[in-house]
Amino acid sequence: ISRSNRNILLSSILISIIPIISCEYDNNNGINYETNQILTNWSNTHSTNPLRIYEPKSTQEIARLLQYHTLINEKIRPIGSSLSPNGIGFNNNKNLLSLALL
């Protein structure tokens, strides 16, 4: 197999393995969120594929986000660094709230 064909093959394999993560803007509360992301805990025993992962940059954005989800009666769960081996935060919630940018 030639070097260029090998590089094409490796690229296609990586593209099929790595999920495409998209960042979108929620007009209802003015916060960016990510979709198409699979989260796995550090011990690789639990994973989840939430609909949205919000990453607010300020406490004001958190307040808007929580007010909006309360208004529409939709749950949102805060997540940490995924260190816990028991997967307590990975119970297939549609919306996750990451505090990583604070």
Side-chain angles (χ1 to χ4, degrees):
I1 190 167
S2 71
R3 184 180 178 103
S4 62
N5 286 342
R6 187 180 69 214
N7 288 342
I8 291 170
L9 179 63
L10 288 174
S11 297
S12 64
I13 290 170
L14 287 175
I15 289 171
S16 65
I17 293 173
I18 299 172
I20 297 174
I21 299 170
S22 64
C23 187
E24 299 180 32
Y25 182 77
D26 191 335
N27 290 324
N28 295 312
N29 52 46
I31 300 173
N32 290 328
Y33 64 90
E34 293 180 354
T35 59
N36 299 324
Q37 189 170 10
I38 297 174
L39 299 178
T40 305
N41 67 343
W42 288 16
S43 60
N44 206 24
T45 56
H46 298 281
S47 64
T48 186
N49 183 7
L51 180 64
R52 293 181 196 96
I53 302 174
Y54 290 96
E55 291 187 329
K57 297 176 185 161
S58 68
T59 55
Q60 292 82 9
E61 287 185 354
I62 291 174
R64 280 198 316 264
L65 185 63
L66 295 177
Q67 287 172 345
Y68 176 71
H69 282 286
T70 299
L71 179 69
I72 64 171
N73 199 25
E74 193 170 272
K75 292 182 180 180
I76 185 166
R77 179 168 180 88
I79 56 171
S81 63
S82 304
L83 180 61
S84 177
N86 65 15
I88 195 166
F90 292 164
N91 57 0
N92 293 325
N93 289 293
K94 289 191 329 183
N95 300 296
L96 298 177
L97 170 61
S98 171
L99 304 178
L101 298 180
L102 293 176

